[in-house]
Amino acid sequence: MAEIKLNNLTKRWGDFIGVDDQSLHIKDREFLVLLGPSGCGKTTTMRMIAGLEEPTAGEIWIGDRMVNDDLPKDRDVAMVFQNYGLYPHMTIFDNIAYPLKVRGTDKSEIRPRVEKAAEQVELTEFLHRKPKALSGGQRQRVALARAIVRTPKVFLMDEPLSNLDAKLRVTMRAELKHLSRALQITTVYVTHDQIEAMTLADRVAVMKNGIIQQLGTPDDIYNNPANLFVAGFIGSPAMNLINGSVTDGMFVTTGGTRLVPVKSPDREKAILGVRADDMHVHEAGQGDIDVTIYAFENTGESTLLTVQWGKQRVIARGDRHLRKDQDDVVGISLNQDHLYLFDPETEDRIEM
Amino acid sequence: MTGKQKKQIFGAIQTALILIAMFIMLVPIIWIFLAAFKSHVDVYQLKLFFTPTLENFSVVFDDPYRLGEKLLNSTIVAFVTILFAIPIATLAAYSFSRFSMRGETLMLVTILATQFVPAVVIILPFFVMFRDIGLLDTRLGLILVNLAIVMPFAIWMIKGFIDGIPMDTEEAAMVDGSSRLQVIRNIVLPMAAPGLLTSAIFCFIIAWNEFLFALILTNKDAVTLPIGLGLFKGEEGDLWNLLSAAGIIIMAPMFVLALMIRKYFVQGMTMGAVR
């Protein structure tokens, strides 16, 4: 049980900046997700917490101890790797028991603890097998069991679900969430999958180019994106970003369509952000604007309409029973309570 | 001609070629094998049918040849060589594989480059040096020379095997609570074990067969098996029956070892080629 504090943490390789002077305070028992595209510094940040990477500058605190100079083994963390990092020459039992054995845990104590961990991840019947004889999902569970067999101060998980197939990923995600609620241990979780971030996190830190773009609850990140990057990264499909300007309190697209009223002083350039769910689809002539359908997709639980809007394409989500075809004309209206305005120069959100 | 017939003809030609190649390669070995069980008189007749005798094998161990001493020398030299070579090479290979050092590539290439120097070029300096420090005609001297010969092979081969161990596995062990040495002992060594065994056998074969240095640097006490073969000269010319018997004694362990490592050897050579 511990909080983690990163103070002005920096990692550079020559001229390349992995993590750029970032500070982050992870609360005790919090599930924090580091989210971002590949190369954004999220894994580097985690590896520095684990002690597998040495920071160029800055401090790492776990609990009330600065761990910069501690070896990984002395930091009392447990980590789940993307490729599981199992020991192929050991049985599942020995894999799970390894953290206990190497730390000199009493022999009589090892068996019950390994069995308990194996039970928590439903591996009991595989304990005598070697990792080679297990499926991907089972190997992932071994990695998890190895992490929870001890009670570390901190869990670190590096894209633990990314090697699993889509269906298994959803199941394991729920199991992870259940497990983390039960264990109540501070967790840092790295992923590029925004759904994992939204579903698992207490708080999400969205990273790009070594800099944390926004830190907040999943709700916060989704409903109040701090800048263009976060707005475009979170949500599926991604938020529609429409170029235009603000004139006389109205957002006007580059094509000259006066679209919606916005509470913002006039500005020459602005980007309007609106999620697919906040674009309502009507019959032609009944919305704010008529558009032509570029592509119509039926996902089963809803329909997605990619529509040509001047030179841009935007995506609207329609009712699951809606049936349209390519080149049909539909009306679109925007939910004016959920519009976002961004400054194209600074990429920051403009409050309105 | 139908396609099937064509295939059959090609198949037959293939088999024939393989048999011819095999015959060419195996003839000397078959000849030696037969000669080892022939009497001196029979050797010079290319008889396939003769009364086999085991006498040659006992003669070579008797005075004046005393092949037993040479066998002991060869065994000690080869074993002690790999006893030192493999642990040292493993540590070197681990460092090359896992740490980035200043001039790492240069060092690796230099290590390999020592193999490109022809032995004849450096054998005289070795002779003079060993004479001055009293290592001539000693097993220790031969062991040192053999170490120098096998180490580059061993380092490069073992490095290949260690490169094949995923970094994740080692890092997991470190986070799980192991020190670097514990990682090497508990994770790297067991995982690289087949590779280490292969390298050890490979080095053993090199040391066992080493001829030139042993020829120049030994004359009586530390003579090894390959040099011992030179003893079988009599008034009546080369004693081919004894030579062959000794030859089989030299080859026998090599056959066994080659069979053992055949699978790993190819794997070791091609490791990292496809990923």
Side-chain angles (χ1 to χ4, degrees):
Chain A
M1 307 289 145
E3 55 177 10
I4 303 171
K5 267 184 279 184
L6 310 180
N7 296 335
N8 304 94
L9 199 62
T10 299
K11 177 70 190 182
R12 272 191 303 264
W13 291 275
D15 286 342
F16 181 80
I17 296 174
V19 177
D20 192 5
D21 195 25
Q22 294 302 293
S23 297
L24 182 60
H25 182 176
I26 303 162
K27 295 175 214 149
D28 186 20
R29 298 173 193 212
E30 185 176 31
F31 197 117
L32 182 109
V33 172
L34 291 170
L35 175 68
S38 53
C40 71
K42 57 192 192 298
T43 297
T44 308
T45 306
M46 165 173 287
R47 287 171 60 85
M48 285 194 283
I49 298 174
L52 297 170
E53 211 79 66
E54 220 173 295
T56 314
E59 292 178 349
I60 302 166
W61 290 75
I62 297 177
D64 43 17
R65 183 176 164 76
M66 188 176 99
V67 297
N68 278 43
D69 299 323
D70 289 354
L71 290 171
K73 71 187 179 80
D74 300 324
R75 296 193 182 195
D76 199 11
V77 301
M79 186 159 170
V80 177
F81 289 80
Q82 186 175 358
N83 300 318
Y84 320 139
L86 300 185
Y87 312 131
H89 56 293
M90 298 185 192
T91 62
I92 302 309
F93 182 94
D94 289 331
N95 262 280
I96 301 174
Y98 187 78
L100 299 176
K101 277 185 191 158
V102 80
R103 285 169 202 270
T105 309
D106 204 47
K107 279 229 170 82
S108 61
E109 218 182 297
I110 290 179
R111 179 159 287 275
R113 282 174 71 176
V114 171
E115 278 166 359
K116 182 168 168 251
E119 200 183 301
Q120 278 175 297
V121 297
E122 296 163 27
L123 272 176
T124 311
E125 53 194 303
F126 303 109
L127 281 176
H128 59 280
R129 292 205 196 165
K130 293 269 178 76
K132 203 168 53 183
L134 298 190
S135 69
Q138 288 164 338
R139 286 181 203 181
Q140 185 57 69
R141 291 206 177 99
V142 178
L144 266 178
R146 193 174 60 185
I148 62 176
V149 71
R150 246 162 25 87
T151 312
K153 282 192 191 139
V154 174
F155 275 143
L156 303 173
M157 303 195 185
D158 186 7
E159 312 219 11
L161 304 182
S162 63
N163 281 0
L164 304 178
D165 63 56
K167 201 171 164 193
L168 197 54
R169 205 176 303 160
V170 176
T171 334
M172 283 298 290
R173 202 171 67 206
E175 285 180 28
L176 256 180
K177 176 137 195 172
H178 182 85
L179 205 58
S180 79
R181 280 289 149 83
L183 293 169
Q184 293 278 314
I185 289 176
T186 315
T187 304
V188 181
Y189 186 104
V190 161
T191 184
H192 61 261
D193 182 318
Q194 40 121 355
I195 305 207
E196 276 173 35
M198 294 293 292
T199 51
L200 290 169
D202 293 324
R203 280 195 304 164
V204 182
V206 185
M207 287 188 80
K208 180 196 168 195
N209 296 340
I211 293 169
I212 296 173
Q213 305 288 316
Q214 187 174 3
L215 174 66
T217 62
D219 264 347
D220 216 20
I221 299 266
Y222 188 85
N223 293 319
N224 290 307
N227 58 31
L228 264 181
F229 176 77
V230 177
F233 197 79
I234 306 281
S236 173
M239 184 186 282
N240 294 301
L241 300 169
I242 302 158
N243 288 309
S245 59
V246 179
T247 316
D248 305 332
M250 289 291 281
F251 181 84
V252 182
T253 65
T254 30
T257 316
R258 290 169 64 85
L259 202 54
V260 282
V262 287
K263 294 190 213 79
S264 160
D266 288 5
R267 46 196 311 139
E268 215 170 289
K269 278 186 172 170
I271 293 177
L272 182 75
V274 51
R275 294 200 184 277
D277 302 77
D278 295 319
M279 308 237 300
H280 302 306
V281 183
H282 310 271
E283 290 305 319
Q286 292 175 15
D288 296 343
I289 181 175
D290 279 350
V291 288
T292 313
I293 295 179
Y294 174 80
F296 179 85
E297 295 165 289
N298 180 4
T299 63
E301 74 260 34
S302 69
T303 53
L304 291 176
L305 292 79
T306 308
V307 298
Q308 192 76 38
W309 189 326
K311 283 179 183 159
Q312 304 181 55
R313 286 179 199 140
V314 298
I315 299 183
R317 198 191 293 278
D319 187 83
R320 61 188 281 199
H321 299 299
L322 184 74
R323 288 297 175 269
K324 290 286 175 192
D325 211 342
Q326 203 163 310
D327 298 329
D328 286 358
V329 175
V330 290
I332 294 279
S333 67
L334 307 186
N335 179 351
Q336 296 189 12
D337 298 335
H338 288 99
L339 297 179
Y340 309 92
L341 209 55
F342 300 94
D343 182 335
E345 311 273 291
T346 62
E347 303 203 341
D348 285 336
R349 168 114 170 260
I350 301 162
E351 291 300 328
M352 52 175 201
Chain B
M1 221 191 308
T2 67
K4 201 180 168 196
Q5 278 173 321
K6 241 185 199 169
K7 234 184 198 166
Q8 278 175 340
I9 290 175
F10 274 120
I13 294 174
Q14 232 173 16
T15 314
L17 284 175
I18 291 172
L19 284 176
I20 292 170
M22 249 174 70
F23 183 74
I24 293 171
M25 282 187 262
L26 288 179
V27 154
I29 294 173
I30 294 168
W31 191 89
I32 285 176
F33 196 79
L34 292 175
F37 295 96
K38 285 178 177 175
S39 63
H40 181 64
V41 187
D42 286 340
V43 169
Y44 291 96
Q45 303 168 3
L46 281 175
K47 280 203 280 199
L48 279 179
F49 300 99
F50 56 92
T51 330
T53 169
L54 283 174
E55 205 200 331
N56 297 330
F57 287 91
S58 68
V59 171
V60 295
F61 282 101
D62 285 341
D63 275 333
Y65 310 117
R66 295 162 65 164
L67 206 62
E69 285 174 11
K70 282 89 184 169
L71 184 62
L72 185 68
N73 281 338
S74 272
T75 312
I76 291 176
V77 168
F79 265 111
V80 177
T81 299
I82 59 167
L83 202 68
F84 281 95
I86 297 305
I88 297 173
T90 305
L91 292 175
Y94 183 83
S95 306
F96 277 123
S97 178
R98 292 302 194 226
F99 303 113
S100 55
M101 293 171 279
R102 195 186 290 269
E104 188 180 336
T105 319
L106 183 72
M107 275 194 271
L108 265 175
V109 172
T110 311
I111 287 173
L112 193 66
T114 59
Q115 293 302 297
F116 302 147
V117 182
V120 237
V121 175
I122 50 170
I123 200 151
L124 272 180
F126 259 111
F127 181 82
V128 175
M129 200 162 65
F130 275 20
R131 187 191 58 199
D132 291 350
I133 54 177
L135 282 177
L136 266 192
D137 202 20
T138 60
R139 289 174 195 150
L140 178 62
L142 275 188
I143 290 167
L144 290 176
V145 170
N146 275 309
L147 267 178
I149 295 172
V150 302
M151 281 294 275
F153 283 115
I155 291 173
W156 273 80
M157 252 180 109
I158 296 175
K159 179 176 177 295
F161 286 105
I162 292 178
D163 285 345
I165 298 175
M167 204 60 200
D168 269 8
T169 309
E170 271 186 57
E171 287 179 344
M174 274 194 267
V175 176
D176 277 348
S178 335
S179 63
R180 180 68 75 170
L181 280 176
Q182 281 171 320
V183 170
I184 294 179
R185 198 179 62 214
N186 299 339
I187 309 297
V188 177
L189 288 186
M191 283 178 76
L196 296 184
L197 184 70
T198 310
S199 311
I201 291 176
F202 189 63
C203 294
F204 188 88
I205 293 174
I206 295 178
W208 182 265
N209 288 339
E210 201 288 315
F211 179 76
L212 194 58
F213 281 97
L215 178 70
I216 306 291
L217 300 178
T218 67
N219 51 44
K220 194 164 119 270
D221 294 338
V223 172
T224 56
L225 276 180
I227 312 304
L229 284 183
L231 294 170
F232 301 108
K233 271 190 177 126
E235 290 153 10
E236 54 276 71
D238 292 330
L239 304 167
W240 284 110
N241 51 336
L242 299 183
L243 231 133
S244 300
I248 285 180
I249 293 169
I250 296 179
M251 281 191 298
M254 294 305 102
F255 275 128
V256 177
L257 293 178
L259 273 179
M260 279 170 64
I261 63 164
R262 192 189 46 191
K263 193 174 103 200
Y264 296 116
F265 187 57
V266 177
Q267 189 190 353
M269 286 196 301
T270 57
M271 190 174 256
V274 185
R275 185 45 58 98

